[in-house]
Amino acid sequence: MLKAIQIVGSSSGFASCRFRKPQPNSAFSLISRKPILTTSETLLLPASQLHSHKSCFRDFRMSSTHSKSSSSSSVAVQSTILQGNIRKINFCQFCGGPNKHEIPDGEEKVRAICTRCGKITYENPKMVVGCLIEHDKKILMCRRKIHPSYGLWTLPAGYMEIGESAAEGAIRETWEEANAEVEVQSLFAQLDIPLIGQTYMIFLAKLKNPHFSPGPESSECQLFELDDIPFDSLAFSSMLVSLNLYIEDIKVGRPKFHYGVINKRPGTSPSDIHAYTLDFHMQS
Amino acid sequence: MLKAIQIVGSSSGFASCRFRKPQPNSAFSLISRKPILTTSETLLLPASQLHSHKSCFRDFRMSSTHSKSSSSSSVAVQSTILQGNIRKINFCQFCGGPNKHEIPDGEEKVRAICTRCGKITYENPKMVVGCLIEHDKKILMCRRKIHPSYGLWTLPAGYMEIGESAAEGAIRETWEEANAEVEVQSLFAQLDIPLIGQTYMIFLAKLKNPHFSPGPESSECQLFELDDIPFDSLAFSSMLVSLNLYIEDIKVGRPKFHYGVINKRPGTSPSDIHAYTLDFHMQS
């Protein structure tokens, strides 16, 4: 059975505003670079309170922090601006008419509704799939040659495509970014980032052979000892969390499966990858 | 460590065309209602072969099998018609101009490209989140009062929304479809269905109180003993797989975490929920 654990960031006194847990004795532990897991409890979210939880994020406006290439970067950023929990879709993809953004009859959320044909364009979170590749007790990482996070280090990862599985997408992204052929071994982490409408799925993988080199989106690929992972120049919070969890798992014996929600701490910079809370962490 | 297991459907002699596994001694086991797990092996997918694997699905044209309500049903179906692994997006959501569907410079896949402003609209798989709710050794299920699969039974589930986590979405959908307040305990299954661009995430959950009743999209909600689950009138393959895996887990002691890929068997009807293979099943 998976255990549910909440980890709250190092900002003392902070409590997640997305989830308010009704247990009287909720305990919190700190996470910085390496999380310390002290509390085991189930995720207890009353459905009737979901609406009020969401409202605290209504005013956020946030650009995507992950796009596949420089050419698609502007599209990704433009299409992922969140306004009141929906993304801005200006025109109808069915007829080309201008959209209005209102709550349709019988629904509760603001949607993009065509003023010409009346159809609604729904937008849903995107899945980012990638690999945590183990080789000789080292981890393969790539230095980004594209924006955003140009020059920073990441695990090979990218958007899952229509027509492929998450595992297949993770293998493809690794091939594209590191010219590395891998075999996937297990799903290691699913990390939701609600604020930017993304879910990361990171697979544990092995190199099929020791060959790798930078793909078009990377300037460098390198195997890092766990003690040498460039934590001070990581590209994304999702990678920071994944690597922290992996290191903790290795310390105690073996990697597990982890589910968690990465929430940016209110008032912090979107670009500060350390300013997050990992909420409702559940591990196998 | 998760184990990787491949389960192939009951059509004797069938081999998945999406994944060709290079191990010389690949073994297969059968899955019908209740899978028998006999083989333990890692997913070994050479990245260089991904393109050829995908080509066997190029000619499929498939409508979405899951939409939230009758009003949104037509939109969901229309927007999820797969043509050569992309969905049909006729007009640009940024400027309203007509799209062409071509492979952009520097990419390998057909995309929707605006003939007026040149921007690309990317489409990605959608996440469906739901709950497998245990109560007194029974499972809560809903009979659908909407299309598709009107009148058939399902676990409460629906599309994950922008601005929420997968767990939060699963709790919301349970509230909407069964008026049930639940607490999520663990992620039980992630099941990709590449052909229709969906990924199911099913959480194990408990009722916070014994109250439930049909929501607007359900005609009935009922707790079923495991032996009485209506397997002959289930709505979706994803639910068939989830329930089968759950029953197997209960038989051997406890639920695990499962990752798998549901591939429709070529030549079978999209509406036949039993005509699938569960490929690259990995379990904790």
Side-chain angles (χ1 to χ4, degrees):
Chain A
M1 183 70 70
L2 298 173
K3 295 172 196 163
I5 296 172
Q6 186 180 46
I7 304 172
V8 174
S10 56
S11 168
S12 61
F14 170 75
S16 164
C17 71
R18 294 201 83 249
F19 299 92
R20 213 159 292 143
K21 295 161 72 69
Q23 295 99 320
N25 299 317
S26 290
F28 300 92
S29 59
L30 301 181
I31 182 169
S32 55
R33 175 170 297 179
K34 291 162 187 172
I36 306 156
L37 311 180
T38 60
T39 307
S40 179
E41 57 195 5
T42 56
L43 165 53
L44 195 60
L45 245 185
S48 54
Q49 292 181 23
L50 287 178
H51 185 74
S52 62
H53 289 131
K54 272 180 188 158
S55 63
C56 61
F57 273 84
R58 283 279 153 80
D59 296 332
F60 270 78
R61 181 184 280 246
M62 174 77 186
S63 296
S64 168
T65 58
H66 197 104
S67 63
K68 272 193 57 59
S69 66
S70 53
S71 62
S72 65
S73 189
S74 61
V75 177
V77 169
Q78 186 163 350
S79 71
T80 56
I81 290 172
L82 296 174
Q83 289 186 317
N85 278 351
I86 69 156
R87 299 175 191 215
K88 195 76 177 170
I89 306 167
N90 295 320
F91 293 91
C92 174
Q93 64 183 11
F94 305 106
C95 78
N99 283 332
K100 59 183 178 182
H101 292 83
E102 290 179 1
I103 299 175
D105 289 344
E107 297 206 29
E108 292 183 354
K109 297 182 182 69
V110 174
R111 310 284 189 189
I113 309 165
C114 182
T115 56
R116 187 188 297 163
C117 74
K119 285 180 178 161
I120 300 170
T121 301
Y122 290 91
E123 267 245 302
N124 301 88
K126 291 193 195 309
M127 283 184 280
V128 180
V129 290
C131 285
L132 198 160
I133 301 155
E134 304 161 311
H135 186 76
D136 285 345
K137 297 186 177 178
K138 298 173 186 168
I139 298 297
L140 183 62
M141 299 189 70
C142 304
R143 188 193 283 266
R144 288 174 64 83
K145 205 171 71 176
I146 55 172
H147 291 287
S149 300
Y150 186 102
L152 300 178
W153 290 91
T154 184
L155 303 175
Y159 286 126
M160 183 173 164
E161 296 269 2
I162 289 283
E164 69 184 5
S165 67
E168 195 175 20
I171 291 167
R172 175 185 51 75
E173 286 289 343
T174 303
W175 177 252
E176 291 175 2
E177 296 184 6
N179 290 315
E181 289 198 67
V182 294
E183 53 186 280
V184 161
Q185 299 193 295
S186 67
L187 184 53
F188 171 65
Q190 182 193 329
L191 300 166
D192 299 329
I193 313 181
L195 190 63
I196 57 172
Q198 291 183 349
T199 288
Y200 278 72
M201 286 167 201
I202 305 295
F203 289 83
L204 289 182
K206 295 278 186 197
L207 285 177
K208 289 178 62 188
N209 56 60
H211 306 304
F212 58 85
S213 60
E217 300 176 4
S218 307
S219 61
E220 240 182 298
C221 293
Q222 192 176 320
L223 286 167
F224 287 97
E225 303 271 3
L226 296 190
D227 288 341
D228 297 331
I229 287 173
F231 276 105
D232 292 332
S233 51
L234 289 184
F236 306 112
S237 293
S238 55
M239 301 309 172
L240 176 60
V241 172
S242 298
L243 289 163
N244 278 333
L245 293 172
Y246 177 78
I247 289 171
E248 284 300 309
D249 283 0
I250 291 295
K251 277 184 187 168
V252 296
R254 64 170 185 86
K256 306 182 194 86
F257 166 72
H258 300 266
Y259 171 79
V261 183
I262 296 176
N263 285 313
K264 284 284 172 187
R265 286 209 297 268
T268 58
S269 163
S271 63
D272 180 358
I273 69 163
H274 297 267
Y276 68 86
T277 62
L278 179 60
D279 298 326
F280 305 108
H281 175 205
M282 303 189 286
Q283 58 185 316
S284 62
Chain B
M1 180 71 72
L2 298 173
K3 294 173 196 161
I5 295 173
Q6 186 179 48
I7 304 172
V8 173
S10 56
S11 167
S12 62
F14 171 76
S16 163
C17 72
R18 293 202 81 251
F19 299 92
R20 213 159 292 143
K21 294 163 73 70
Q23 293 101 319
N25 299 319
S26 290
F28 300 94
S29 60
L30 301 183
I31 182 171
S32 55
R33 174 168 297 179
K34 292 163 186 172
I36 306 155
L37 311 181
T38 60
T39 306
S40 180
E41 56 195 8
T42 55
L43 165 53
L44 196 59
L45 243 186
S48 55
Q49 291 181 23
L50 287 179
H51 185 74
S52 61
H53 288 132
K54 271 179 190 160
S55 63
C56 60
F57 272 85
R58 281 281 152 83
D59 296 332
F60 270 78
R61 179 186 282 245
M62 176 77 186
S63 296
S64 169
T65 57
H66 197 103
S67 63
K68 272 196 55 62
S69 66
S70 53
S71 63
S72 65
S73 188
S74 61
V75 177
V77 170
Q78 186 163 350
S79 72
T80 56
I81 291 172
L82 296 174
Q83 290 187 315
N85 278 350
I86 68 155
R87 302 177 190 212
K88 195 73 176 172
I89 306 166
N90 296 320
F91 293 90
C92 175
Q93 65 183 11
F94 305 106
C95 79
N99 283 330
K100 60 182 178 180
H101 292 83
E102 290 179 1
I103 299 174
D105 289 344
E107 297 207 28
E108 291 183 355
K109 297 183 183 69
V110 174
R111 309 284 189 191
I113 309 165
C114 181
T115 56
R116 188 187 296 162
C117 73
K119 285 181 179 162
I120 300 171
T121 301
Y122 290 90
E123 267 247 300
N124 301 88
K126 292 193 194 308
M127 284 183 283
V128 181
V129 291
C131 284
L132 199 160
I133 301 156
E134 305 159 310
H135 186 74
D136 285 342
K137 298 186 178 177
K138 297 174 186 166
I139 297 297
L140 183 62
M141 298 188 69
C142 305
R143 190 193 282 265
R144 287 172 66 82
K145 205 171 72 174
I146 54 171
H147 290 287
S149 300
Y150 185 101
L152 299 178
W153 290 91
T154 184
L155 303 175
Y159 286 124
M160 183 174 164
E161 296 268 5
I162 290 282
E164 70 185 2
S165 67
E168 195 176 18
I171 291 167
R172 174 184 51 74
E173 287 290 341
T174 303
W175 176 252
E176 290 174 2
E177 296 184 7
N179 291 315
E181 288 197 68
V182 294
E183 53 186 280
V184 160
Q185 301 193 294
S186 67
L187 184 53
F188 172 65
Q190 182 193 329
L191 300 166
D192 298 330
I193 312 182
L195 191 63
I196 56 172
Q198 291 182 349
T199 288
Y200 279 72
M201 286 168 202
I202 305 295
F203 289 84
L204 289 182
K206 296 276 185 198
L207 284 177
K208 288 177 64 187
N209 57 60
H211 306 304
F212 58 86
S213 60
E217 300 174 5
S218 308
S219 61
E220 240 183 296
C221 294
Q222 191 176 321
L223 286 168
F224 287 97
E225 303 270 4
L226 296 191
D227 288 342
D228 296 332
I229 287 173
F231 276 106
D232 293 332
S233 52
L234 289 183
F236 306 112
S237 295
S238 54
M239 300 309 173
L240 176 60
V241 173
S242 297
L243 289 163
N244 277 333
L245 293 172
Y246 177 77
I247 289 170
E248 285 299 307
D249 283 0
I250 292 295
K251 278 185 187 168
V252 295
R254 64 169 185 85
K256 308 181 192 86
F257 167 71
H258 300 266
Y259 171 79
V261 182
I262 297 175
N263 285 314
K264 284 283 175 189
R265 287 208 296 269
T268 58
S269 163
S271 62
D272 180 358
I273 69 162
H274 296 267
Y276 67 88
T277 62
L278 179 61
D279 299 326
F280 305 105
H281 175 205
M282 305 187 286
Q283 58 185 316
S284 62

